[in-house]
Amino acid sequence: MDKVKIALQYMLPKHLLSRLVGKLAAAEAGALTTAAIKWFIKQYKIDMSEAAQSEPEAYKSFNAFFTRALKPGIRPLDMDADIMVHPVDGAVSQLGPIKNGRIFQAKGHHYSSLTLLGDQAEDAKRFEGGDFATIYLAPKDYHRIHMPIKGTLSKMTYVPGELFSVNPLTAKNVPGLFARNERVVAIFETELGPLAMVLVGATIVASIETVWAGTVTPPTGKQVFTWEYPTQGPDAITLDKGEEMGRFKLGSTVVMLFAKDAIATFAEGVEAEAVTRMGQAFANLKDVKHAD
């Protein structure tokens, strides 16, 4: 059965299907929208007591429900200056060192950090010998993405690609999954050096958004696009630790890349398949030089 599911992934018109679902998810269809939200809550056992608006009727569209805000304080932020926090609710897919420019995906599968970053050679060099972490957001999870550490945006890259599902089954069976799917790469300058936040698209992911650019995709394209941002002055975009940086409309994956020696150790219990909660300790930092 798993082989059939994977074969269907290759056969389906994934972009067409995803954009169709996106239009439906954006529709404000009254009682029909509310019925779909109620079904989704029941199907995926979503804890609506955590949501800022807990009643399904409060959401005019499925997208509004899917990107729902949480109640203030429901995800307390670890404010220790030597701690990096989880950026999302989800589960760790894999994490560890970037070896010879290669990132571990699953048993028998590695992929290139250069390819992941849209073949931006200078960007890839900045993460040589560093670390990575891949976090999968399931349909039931909270789908806003937050900063694991304070950073100033220096570059964003849109990379066209496939829209395979990114669940554990496809991660184990589709070579180079995260480096072949459509994605948005945001690079931040931090006190630890560069940080890459790679937002990976997937089947029926209707949209990837950032707080500074709004909707980045759709529409899709066939070319890599890059945007450079000033890191100083009044136009610099600096986001604090725990601040929202983007969101998925339907679930997907975040891949983070860290510079060499940025991380001393991952926090206790942070390992493959571990559940993540935004704001909790993710990693212990190394050689941090805090501003006065």
Side-chain angles (χ1 to χ4, degrees), residues 118-150:
D119 292 323
Q120 305 290 300
E122 292 302 315
D123 294 340
K125 286 180 182 178
R126 303 185 73 193
F127 299 100
E128 288 181 358
D131 293 281
F132 80 95
T134 305
I135 302 178
Y136 168 65
L137 289 74
K140 65 180 177 61
D141 289 320
Y142 166 66
H143 277 80
R144 298 190 183 191
I145 306 152
H146 296 253
M147 291 294 291
I149 190 174
K150 182 178 180 179

Side-chain angles (χ1 to χ4, degrees), residues 158-175:
Y158 163 76
V159 188
E162 296 277 2
L163 284 176
F164 285 97
S165 170
V166 291
N167 61 35
L169 177 63
T170 48
K172 293 176 181 177
N173 290 278
V174 177

Side-chain angles (χ1 to χ4, degrees), residues 98 125-132 190 192-196 257-263:
I98 301 170
K125 286 180 182 178
R126 303 185 73 193
F127 299 100
E128 288 181 358
D131 293 281
F132 80 95
T190 80
L192 303 170
L195 162 70
L257 304 186
F258 311 101
K260 184 179 181 180
D261 295 331
I263 291 176

Side-chain angles (χ1 to χ4, degrees), residues 233-255:
D235 294 327
I237 300 169
T238 298
L239 300 177
D240 287 330
K241 178 180 177 179
E243 191 171 351
E244 183 183 343
M245 61 81 60
R247 60 183 66 176
F248 290 119
K249 291 179 178 176
L250 301 188
S252 197
T253 288
V254 176
V255 182

Side-chain angles (χ1 to χ4, degrees), residues 31-180:
L32 185 61
T33 293
T34 299
I37 291 171
K38 287 180 176 179
W39 175 88
F40 196 89
I41 291 170
K42 182 178 180 180
Q43 178 72 15
Y44 291 101
K45 299 180 175 60
I46 295 172
D47 183 2
M48 291 300 291
S49 69
E50 295 186 334
Q53 294 179 302
S54 59
E55 296 300 321
E57 293 82 4
Y59 301 97
K60 291 185 177 181
S61 70
F62 190 86
N63 276 341
F65 156 71
F66 200 81
T67 58
R68 61 194 176 277
L70 298 180
K71 290 177 179 175
I74 204 76
R75 293 287 185 271
L77 190 67
D78 190 322
M79 293 305 296
D80 188 327
D82 296 320
I83 292 293
M84 183 183 292
V85 298
H86 285 296
V88 294
D89 285 7
V92 176
S93 176
Q94 299 292 341
L95 78 172
I98 301 170
K99 296 181 178 179
N100 299 316
R102 306 288 290 174
I103 297 173
F104 181 65
Q105 176 177 304
K107 185 177 180 179
H109 295 291
H110 290 75
Y111 61 93
S112 161
S113 57
L114 175 62
T115 304
L116 178 73
L117 297 174
D119 292 323
Q120 305 290 300
E122 292 302 315
D123 294 340
K125 286 180 182 178
R126 303 185 73 193
F127 299 100
E128 288 181 358
D131 293 281
F132 80 95
T134 305
I135 302 178
Y136 168 65
L137 289 74
K140 65 180 177 61
D141 289 320
Y142 166 66
H143 277 80
R144 298 190 183 191
I145 306 152
H146 296 253
M147 291 294 291
I149 190 174
K150 182 178 180 179
T152 300
L153 181 70
S154 61
K155 186 175 183 179
M156 180 172 73
T157 302
Y158 163 76
V159 188
E162 296 277 2
L163 284 176
F164 285 97
S165 170
V166 291
N167 61 35
L169 177 63
T170 48
K172 293 176 181 177
N173 290 278
V174 177
L177 175 63
F178 305 118
R180 66 193 297 174

